[in-house]
Amino acid sequence: MIKYATIGTAVAALAGCVSVDVDDTNFATNVSHYGGMTVGGVELPFSKAVIVGNTIYLAGEVGIDPETGSIAPGGTGPETTQIFANLERTLNTFDADLSDLVKCTVYLGDMEDYGKMNAAYAAALPDPKPARATVGVSGLAVGAHLEIDCIAVTS
């Protein structure tokens, strides 16, 4: 028992002896926020995208057609297609595109629609596909069937 107490004391004492020379400028990162979102004339309380270094965090998108201001008709498949058109429009603002996506999360209102979402998702994205998680949720804004958020990394 005394042997373990002595070892523990020595480890604790040596842990305080570690010296690290850190240059704080290595941790300076520019953060930019891209536009608020407005739906039906209501300003939503979040940014459409946040850029940190070369990483773009895209807010969750539902399948709203910006021309009409309404959810794309036809259900989960067409909404998925519309979501990626919307995400691509946002990415183009930063000289990026769908090929820069590295991670997406799909929030699906009904897991019975998984096949429809998956087919439209596969058609919308170039290979290689980003990593993805798909979760079932009990409700989404404005009557949407799904919502997708993504992370992109540019070079």
Side-chain angles (χ1 to χ4, degrees):
M1 187 68 148
I2 293 174
K3 178 170 113 176
Y4 293 113
T6 304
I7 292 171
T9 303
V11 168
L14 289 173
C17 294
V18 176
S19 175
V20 178
D21 183 19
V22 177
D23 180 0
D24 287 341
T25 60
N26 290 338
F27 296 105
T29 303
N30 291 330
V31 177
S32 302
H33 295 264
Y34 172 70
M37 294 185 64
T38 304
V39 174
V42 176
E43 178 89 18
L44 301 176
F46 54 87
S47 297
K48 189 168 185 74
V50 175
I51 299 91
V52 181
N54 65 338
T55 303
I56 305 167
Y57 298 89
L58 296 156
E61 282 273 355
V62 294
I64 294 177
D65 181 341
E67 306 263 332
T68 66
S70 299
I71 293 285
T76 301
E79 286 180 42
T80 303
T81 302
Q82 184 65 57
I83 287 168
F84 283 108
N86 295 347
L87 289 171
E88 186 160 43
R89 190 173 10 272
T90 301
L91 287 166
N92 288 337
T93 304
F94 309 110
D95 294 324
D97 59 36
L98 296 176
S99 70
D100 295 310
L101 295 178
V102 296
K103 174 71 168 84
C104 294
T105 304
V106 178
Y107 305 92
L108 199 51
D110 184 347
M111 290 304 283
E112 294 291 321
D113 291 338
Y114 182 86
K116 295 173 193 170
M117 174 279 299
N118 208 41
Y121 182 100
L125 292 174
D127 287 327
K129 307 288 190 247
R132 183 181 89 191
T134 303
V135 296
V137 297
S138 64
L140 292 157
V142 299
H145 289 91
L146 75 157
E147 181 172 343
I148 302 175
D149 68 44
C150 298
I151 300 170
V153 176
T154 60
S155 47

